[in-house]
Amino acid sequence: MAMLFRLRTVLLLGATLLFGATVFAQDDIPVRTLPNEIFRDVKKDPKDTIKWSWKRGGLFNLNLAQGSLSNWAAGGDNFSLALTTYVNYFMLYQRGRHTWDNNLDFNFGFVKTSSLGSRKNDDRLDFLSKYGYSIDTSRKLFISGLFNFRTQFFDGYNYDGGTGVRTSSLLSPAYVLLSLGLDYKPVKEFSIFVSPITSRFVIVTSSSIAGKGLYGVDTGKHIATEFGAFASLNYGKEIMKNVVYKGRMDLFSNYVHKPLNIDLYMTNMLTFKINKFLSATYELDAIYDDDVRLFGPGKQSAALQLKSMIGIGLSRPLTTIKRLPDQWY
């Protein structure tokens, strides 16, 4: 009986070892190659955006609209000509935990009519630079510093009837913003920057405009300093084939002066590509600044400023150039 028990034990042990050897033989290749699969270098497509450190490019838009009337019973201008242009240039850097985004926008619009003459209907220069250092392993949350400069190039007028009163000029006003906060980038098309520590400087270099006490700058002074909280949301994506949306919204609250009267700066642009050279664009901009009191009865009130423009014309992207980590330009 003891001999039979030992024989059964040996046969059972042998069967167990044989089964284990069979299973091991079936899984032998994956088990041996698994470490190599984990630790091997991944070969990426050269076009993969992770490979570049510097990337630069932009966009150029030029829209022209012309109209004329002759013996038109409904009335209107006998002749009108509108020209709008938009130029964007960006330069981006990313390497390791570091990112540096730079963006420059220039808008200019000009309109000429037989009844109102010539005047600009858009004029904006906007430069934004943001440096970030990633503080999480997913590289989505950054400690960031932000610099923004915004002004216009040419004289602007507030028209009362046919008379124009100069209210703006180059660097009058100009806005300089310095901010330190957190930047969250859940996807490459969208970012949210929030800062409780922001300084904003409102500059009016023109003595004649400074003498009117506009833009929150005391009468006769040329600069006003504000301290508050700032938030900026940015989004840009091809939302469907040949349709691209780009938008930005900035919010600023002055801790010292009417903190609940939040300043708003928002831009939106839709581009509809028609062919290689032509596109249709729609722009909607909104600005609210409680210190800009040029509206309402007596021209002493703040108001929401809206600008809407639509056009068809030339649209050409500037060549996008990418550089590897060991390259510059």
Side-chain angles (χ1 to χ4, degrees), residues 8 55 112 198 209 253 274 282 306:
R8 288 178 178 176
K55 179 181 178 180
K112 179 178 176 61
T198 300
I209 297 175
S253 173
I274 299 173
Y282 175 70
L306 292 173

Side-chain angles (χ1 to χ4, degrees), residues 253-254 257-262:
S253 173
N254 188 344
H257 180 67
K258 298 180 180 179
L260 296 181
N261 291 1
I262 298 174

